[in-house]
Structures are given as C-alpha cells and as structure tokens.
Amino acid sequence: MSLSRQNLSIVIVTYKSEAVLYDCINSIGNDIEIIVIENSNNIKFKENLEKNYLNVTCVISLKNLGMGSGNNLGIKRIKNDYILILNPDVILENSTIDELINASKKIQNYAILAPISSDIDYPNYKILKSKNKTVDIREPKKVRSIDGFAMLLNKKKLDKIFFKEYFDENFFMYLENDDLCKRIIDANEDIYIVPTSKIKHLGGKAVDKKYNDEVEFSRNWHWIWSKFYYNEKHFGYLNAFLKGLPKFLSSLIKYIFYSILRKKFKQKVYLNRASGFFNAAKKKPSWYRPDIKD
C-alpha cells in the first residue's frame, strides 16, 4: 500500500515536553494516528493528552528510555506501513505531509523521506559526496543522512533490514539517527529529502525550560559519549579514541579553570564532557541521566 494519511502513523518521544507538544500535535491534524512515548511516570499527562486528542495514544514508559529506545517502543505498536518520527519541538506546515505523499509517488524505492527545516541556515541533512552540492527546491534529492527530529520511515522496507529494532538502543541521545542513516546507506537503501515539504524546528525546546541546567549537563555528557560510541562502532576503537582525545583534554583544562573561578555551571559542563569520553573509552554504557524531580 502506498503512502497516505490513512496508512501513516506518527511517533513522538517526549520528556517534560508539555510546553511545546500541543503545538506540534495541533499542526498535524486529527486524521493521523499519533503515538506519544512519555519517558516518565506522568499519568496525568497521559490522561490529559488522550482526553483532548482522540487520535493520540500516550504510552508511559515509567523511566527515561532516551530517544532511540523510545522511538523503537512506539514503532513496535504501529501496524501502518509508514511512520513519521517527530521531536515534540517540531511544527508542521499545512502542506508538509501532503508534499511527502506527493514525493513518495515519484520515488517508489526509499527507506526514509524527510521534510527539510524552514531555517535555511541550519539544514537538517548531509549531502552525498558528489560534484553537485545544490538542492533543487522542486524535486526530492538523495542525501547521506538527516537529523532525527523529522524523518518518515518506510516500515516494510526497514523491517526487512532491522527486524523492527530500528534505532540502536545503546545511544541514549544524539547520533542514533546518524547511526540509523549510515546502516541504511550501508545496506544500499536510499534516503531522500523533500524540499517542498517543510517543518519548523524550535531546537533545544523539547524539555521545559525550567530544567535547562540539568538538560544542558546531560547533553554535554551524552554528546561526547555518543560520538565516541558511534566512531568506535563504525570505524574502530582507535579512531574513536584519537578523535575524542583532544576534546577530553580540553574539557579537563577548562574544568580546572572554571573550578578556580568557582563558576559551578561551567565547571559541571566541562566535567560532564570529560566524563562522557572517559566512560565511553572504558566501554561503559550511556548511564548518565538528568537530575530532574517532579
């Protein structure tokens, strides 16, 4: 069955995302199934969401699974052939989904289709190596990878490759989408962007701003850990170590510097960067979680 609004489901992984989620859902409409995976034990959030939106099912994970595991949990609940993965801080334009549907009729053979960010200064894709680096604003274009905040998955095709474990759950946050895209390209499947399909990404707004400090600490830890794990997985341990070592040493120096100045926020940021590298180098799992209490 071809892509249509009736054969499409949407997965949104959330965590303390009430401030932005409703704008995201409202931009989708009420004729598409939406699965929200809430990475907490907030039952009231689930009740309010399902009360206000008949097309929304909210799954409470009871603990913070992260993006990859959360997306996998949502994907396993879906029977439709196509899944649009969205971050809660994404807003669709009126024609976003229709343009994806139109593009799917032209391409046929694709693993992922993706809308593009409306902010041209921050493209959500990486071009394949070629002489032609331009993007035709009228036609879909093959790319090397896309950012994970908006990607439409061809479920039948991907099930044959990944057996429903699409995202590597060792990643808690960051680069799980790059890993997915690399594995798709390595399997000789295609990823396309659709320049006529656009979304607005608020960027870094998925978690309520009152938790900004804890989220920032978590981001710094996981960005470094995930980069090491990604490079080790695809290019070997030595490659990952040598690429990450300068950032590790720089983080230690800055940690000492800000400790002397007693700048506690900066001190913790750089300590977490160093810790992320240290834990990845010792092959420890991605264990760090933001200290957020209800």
Side-chain angles (χ1 to χ4, degrees), residues 250-267:
S250 171
S251 296
L252 284 180
I253 292 169
K254 290 178 180 178
Y255 165 70
I256 295 170
F257 175 75
Y258 285 111
S259 296
I260 294 170
L261 295 180
R262 297 186 179 181
K263 301 286 187 180
K264 290 186 177 180
F265 177 81
K266 288 286 189 179
Q267 181 182 344

Side-chain angles (χ1 to χ4, degrees), residues 169-218:
E169 297 187 2
N170 289 310
F171 294 99
F172 178 75
M173 61 187 296
Y174 295 128
L175 298 182
E176 72 281 343
N177 55 292
D178 291 80
D179 174 72
L180 175 65
C181 289
K182 178 165 176 48
R183 288 185 286 127
I184 288 172
I185 296 295
D186 288 348
N188 295 315
E189 299 293 349
D190 295 324
I191 302 169
Y192 285 85
I193 54 168
V194 181
T196 55
S197 176
K198 296 182 180 180
I199 52 94
K200 180 180 181 180
H201 182 222
L202 301 180
K205 306 295 184 184
V207 182
D208 193 298
K209 63 182 181 181
K210 67 183 178 181
Y211 305 117
N212 277 357
D213 284 2
E214 284 300 325
V215 168
E216 188 65 18
F217 298 148
S218 182

Side-chain angles (χ1 to χ4, degrees), residues 52 57 156 191 212 258 270:
N52 286 293
T57 299
K156 280 190 173 180
I191 302 169
N212 277 357
Y258 285 111
Y270 289 107

Side-chain angles (χ1 to χ4, degrees), residues 88-136:
D89 57 351
V90 165
I91 298 174
L92 278 59
E93 294 186 354
N94 291 335
S95 62
T96 300
I97 292 176
D98 290 336
E99 290 294 343
L100 290 173
I101 293 171
N102 292 338
S104 73
K105 296 174 182 177
K106 299 177 183 178
I107 303 170
Q108 301 299 324
N109 186 33
Y110 61 90
I112 295 181
L113 287 181
I116 66 170
S117 171
S118 58
D119 188 343
I120 61 174
D121 293 327
Y122 296 95
N124 60 317
Y125 55 86
K126 295 182 178 69
I127 300 292
L128 289 162
K129 291 182 179 180
S130 69
K131 293 181 180 179
N132 182 15
K133 298 295 185 180
T134 61
V135 175
D136 189 330

